[in-house]
Amino acid sequence: MSEKEEENSSSAGPDAEQVRPPPPPVPYTVWSARDRRLLVFLLGYLALASSLTANIYFPLVDLLAGRYGVSAQAINLTITLFFIFQGIAPSFWSPVSDAFGRRPVYLATFTVYTLASLGLSIVDKSYPALLILRAMQSAGGSAVLSLAYAVVADVTVHSERRSFYRSDDDGSKYWAVHWSYPRWCFRVLLIFGASGLLLIGLAMPETVRSIVGNGAVPAQSLWRTWWSLLARNDVMRYVCGGSGFNTAKGYPLATATATTSGVETDDINAGKTGKGRLVLPNPFASLRIVFYADTFLTLWLAASPYALWFCVQTSITPIFALGYGFNPLYVGLCFLTGGAGIIAGGFITGKLMDANYKHVAKKAGISIDRGRGEDMSEFPIEHARSRGSIRIITVSLCAVIGYGLLVFQAYLGCKCTVLHQVYSALIVDLFPGTPGTAAASNNITRCTTAALAVAVMNPLVNSMGYGWVFTLLGLLDALTCISAVLALRRWGRPWREKRINRCQGLGGLS
């Protein structure tokens, strides 16, 4: 080659590098829509550990009081204790899941839950044992909701999460109708817990992005499903192995990018080993989220409807059994209208969140990227999630005041499900890097609020009567929630930006 040709070649080299086409965009997740749907079906079944365990108990208050030889107020104490542990336990489990992995924590929680259910099905007529085992059952089953929200955040972008949220309460009330023998209820929970533990072991894959990236890094050891340990070919790994099986589809292990507010900016898979790291649980990480202005309003909007709904649930048995003389079967049937409303709310939530997200994105001039997700620092997510909430809350006020009609109970079940799921999704949206910890803060507020509300119900009813108590609760819920929605829509985004800047400077959660 001549000197002139070499000179031209060398001068063209940098230009050639400059015009080299950029690598194709890497998806937020390599999980297919079908695989994510199957995962969500599993999460929905496991999430029953929270709602089924609570709701199967409410129609049995009088029966349990007679069987254990205690007052109805003593049985209500077990409900309050259940909610206290349901609020506290996820603040230990969920932060661990962000570092150690969702799968090991799921296995641990369901082991505790199943052992507690076994104890309840064996030990009978011992009130201290009932207190201890119900607290243990709550500690084991309480983290399933925060873990489910975290798993959905691991594998879906913000614009698609609405279609993966369904009511965790669906159908759980129907179990309570058929049982007039408390020990059989506990045996049902034992069967559920054992089946859930088996499903987790066999089929629950690891999804934490700090362990398996966008799903392309193969899970190792404890983080692999039991079934995948028996698989000897790629087809079986694809069906049963969970995280990492998509490497066969052409996604390299170290070319995807990391997530910052839902947008990929760095190498997400580099350095990932498919194994988590065990950390000491820090419950204060979840508790700290409660005290930020924007997140406090979001958490209250999820907690207030939840607490109101459980006040309704705890009042059904005394109102219809003592006030109207219904037998246990008819009392159980009274729970079905609320269950129907919850099921409807689970389906409405997905459609509502989808429509609101599209509307706000179009109004803001932002195109929806279903492959990589939107940059949440530029997206008014508070407006998208809170749109339409004021109308729902206003109608709810009338339903609470007249809730003795079963149709109003159905609306309250629907309303509480919609608002709880919408704002539970928002709190996870606000903390994309630690969704488990964020979801645990939701458990703290909603369960603490519900425990306090249930604890003061009887004294208030004795002094004011059910009519005035629910009028007061309806006004309190409506006024505080409407105020929170207005404040969140007006100042939520500036508060969020201020919080992120401050936390990044201090090296904390953002």
Side-chain angles (χ1 to χ4, degrees):
M1 183 183 292
S2 66
E3 293 183 3
K4 187 174 182 180
E5 287 175 339
E6 290 180 2
E7 183 178 348
N8 290 338
S9 176
S10 62
S11 62
D15 293 336
E17 291 182 1
Q18 291 178 4
V19 299
R20 180 179 298 172
V26 178
Y28 181 87
T29 179
V30 296
W31 286 69
S32 69
R34 174 183 173 276
D35 296 327
R36 285 179 288 168
R37 292 288 180 190
L38 292 174
L39 177 60
V40 167
F41 282 129
L42 175 58
L43 294 175
Y45 181 73
L46 299 178
L48 287 172
S50 176
S51 58
L52 178 62
T53 309
N55 290 319
I56 204 172
Y57 201 75
F58 292 129
L60 304 174
V61 170
D62 289 339
L63 291 172
L64 288 168
R67 188 168 189 83
Y68 286 86
V70 296
S71 66
Q73 183 63 30
I75 298 300
N76 280 341
L77 178 60
T78 66
I79 296 175
T80 300
L81 188 66
F82 181 90
F83 282 123
I84 290 174
F85 274 83
Q86 198 172 49
I88 295 174
S91 63
F92 290 88
W93 293 119
S94 297
V96 172
S97 78
D98 284 333
F100 192 56
R102 315 285 184 221
R103 174 179 164 78
V105 173
Y106 259 119
L107 287 169
T109 57
F110 260 78
T111 298
V112 173
Y113 178 88
T114 304
L115 290 175
S117 300
L118 176 62
L120 286 167
S121 65
I122 295 174
V123 179
D124 194 21
K125 299 182 180 180
S126 172
Y127 181 70
L130 179 66
L131 276 174
I132 294 170
L133 291 172
R134 279 292 286 181
M136 182 178 170
Q137 199 176 45
S138 176
S142 59
V144 291
L145 285 182
S146 56
L147 290 174
Y149 278 101
V151 170
V152 170
D154 291 335
V155 300
T156 59
V157 296
H158 298 276
S159 60
E160 290 186 336
R161 288 176 190 173
R162 45 76 194 166
S163 63
F164 291 93
Y165 292 138
R166 287 291 181 266
S167 172
D168 61 283
D169 243 350
D170 289 356
S172 62
K173 292 178 179 56
Y174 295 91
W175 288 93
V177 175
H178 306 287
W179 306 106
S180 58
Y181 187 44
R183 289 185 70 183
W184 271 109
C185 290
F186 297 139
R187 289 167 185 169
V188 168
L189 298 179
L190 172 61
I191 294 170
F192 165 75
S195 64
L197 183 60
L198 182 63
L199 286 172
I200 294 167
L202 288 173
M204 180 71 192
E206 185 54 67
T207 62
V208 175
R209 300 176 71 80
S210 62
I211 296 176
V212 296
N214 66 352
V217 178
Q220 305 293 329
S221 185
L222 175 65
W223 293 264
R224 290 181 62 183
T225 62
W226 297 342
W227 193 260
S228 72
L229 294 174
L230 304 175
R232 296 183 180 277
N233 56 64
D234 291 337
V235 174
M236 291 300 291
R237 287 195 189 94
Y238 175 83
V239 175
C240 313
S243 304
F245 57 69
N246 279 298
T247 55
K249 296 183 179 181
Y251 297 112
L253 293 181
T255 58
T257 54
T259 294
T260 301
S261 301
V263 173
E264 316 287 0
T265 58
D266 246 343
D267 193 343
I268 185 63
N269 293 327
K272 304 300 187 298
T273 63
K275 295 182 179 181
R277 55 186 179 86
L278 185 60
V279 297
L280 290 176
N282 178 16
F284 297 104
S286 299
L287 186 62
R288 183 171 54 192
I289 294 175
V290 178
F291 296 100
Y292 297 123
D294 60 325
T295 54
F296 174 79
L297 296 177
T298 303
L299 292 169
W300 176 256
L301 285 164
S304 181
Y306 185 87
L308 177 63
W309 177 242
F310 275 98
C311 286
V312 171
Q313 295 292 281
T314 55
S315 69
I316 288 177
T317 297
I319 287 177
F320 290 98
L322 302 180
Y324 292 90
F326 285 9
N327 62 36
L329 176 61
Y330 286 171
V331 171
L333 290 171
C334 291
F335 284 84
L336 297 187
T337 53
I342 287 174
I343 292 173
F347 289 100
I348 291 171
T349 302
K351 301 293 184 182
L352 182 66
M353 290 174 66
D354 188 26
N356 288 347
Y357 197 95
K358 289 179 179 178
H359 176 85
V360 172
K362 182 178 180 181
K363 188 175 180 180
I366 299 174
S367 59
I368 297 177
D369 185 350
R370 297 191 182 277
R372 304 181 67 204
E374 291 72 48
D375 185 351
M376 286 296 106
S377 64
E378 302 295 330
F379 192 90
I381 189 65
E382 294 85 359
H383 283 253
R385 298 301 189 218
S386 63
R387 183 171 178 263
S389 295
I390 292 178
R391 290 191 292 272
I392 296 173
I393 296 167
T394 303
V395 177
S396 169
L397 173 60
C398 303
V400 173
I401 293 174
Y403 117 85
L405 297 176
L406 294 181
V407 66
F408 287 162
Q409 189 189 141
Y411 177 80
L412 288 174
C414 181
K415 167 254 187 178
C416 292
T417 299
V418 170
L419 291 186
H420 177 253
Q421 289 195 0
V422 165
Y423 290 101
S424 296
L426 177 57
I427 195 66
V428 172
D429 290 332
L430 296 176
F431 292 87
T434 53
T437 302
S441 69
N442 184 21
N443 266 66
I444 292 174
T445 51
R446 71 185 177 90
C447 294
T448 302
T449 307
L452 291 173
V454 170
V456 302
M457 269 288 291
N458 270 5
L460 286 177
V461 168
N462 291 337
S463 61
M464 301 172 61
Y466 280 106
W468 283 111
V469 166
F470 279 101
T471 299
L472 177 64
L473 290 175
L475 288 170
L476 181 65
D477 174 70
L479 293 176
T480 56
C481 287
I482 289 175
S483 300
V485 171
L486 293 174
L488 193 64
R489 293 178 68 84
R490 174 64 180 85
W491 297 295
R493 187 172 176 181
W495 283 341
R496 169 164 53 110
E497 293 171 350
K498 181 179 179 181
R499 168 177 57 80
I500 290 174
N501 292 334
R502 179 184 177 188
C503 289
Q504 287 177 343
L506 296 174
L509 292 172
S510 60

